[in-house]
Amino acid sequence: MPAEQADPQRSDADTVILYSSRRSWLFAAAGSAALIGGPIAVSLTRPLGGPGIGALIVGVVATLALLFDQPLKSVVSPEGIERRCPLSNRMIEWHEIESLDRLRRSGGVVAKVGRRRLVLCDRMEGHYEHMHLTELVERHGPNVILRLEAPKIETRPTDLYRRRSGW
């Protein structure tokens, strides 16, 4: 495909954006709401005991972890990969990344940075997103080990339902 030809799957010539699944966010938010809302609802009728306070603490910690570490999207650019979470953004430069791997069940993309594995996207990217991602890694991250098998041609892109909504 010629470089001048516009590809509808690409966000622009030097970046690709990988979006996390809205469904995973919905389930995580529902779980957090249940762990926080349950003990609060119980506390309205009677005093909370140890298990209730424990559930509330677990709910608050899980919600904070979700908001600080679950990416909404990851922007792959010549400078590196920016993980955008609701309450934090982190730029991971190419020299920090050892490898890009797949999540076992969902096929999402994970960056290995030191001892940590940072989820970039919790679902498999589309075929054109994968090709663009591979090009960017080969051009700008020559020391990054790429362990991402290509998705099937019919795999839907991560931005399929976000083109109009912007989320």
Side-chain angles (χ1 to χ4, degrees), residues 51-125:
I53 292 171
L56 184 62
I57 291 170
V58 167
V60 169
V61 170
T63 301
L64 287 173
L66 174 74
L67 294 174
F68 277 101
D69 199 42
Q70 178 72 18
L72 292 168
K73 64 182 174 182
S74 295
V75 181
V76 183
S77 68
E79 294 79 34
I81 301 172
E82 182 181 5
R83 289 179 76 230
R84 295 184 183 172
C85 303
L87 295 181
S88 70
N89 290 337
R90 178 175 178 198
M91 182 64 160
I92 309 164
E93 295 179 7
W94 288 115
H95 66 85
E96 298 177 72
I97 302 170
E98 292 177 24
S99 65
L100 292 178
D101 302 304
R102 291 252 180 243
L103 286 171
R104 292 178 198 216
R105 291 191 178 165
S106 68
V109 181
V110 177
K112 186 166 187 242
V113 180
R115 292 183 177 205
R116 290 196 68 195
R117 289 173 42 95
L118 301 172
V119 175
L120 302 178
C121 177
D122 63 0
R123 56 173 294 212
M124 189 173 282
E125 71 278 10

Side-chain angles (χ1 to χ4, degrees), residues 38-49 51-53:
I40 289 175
V42 168
S43 73
L44 297 175
T45 60
R46 61 176 182 248
L48 280 179
I53 292 171

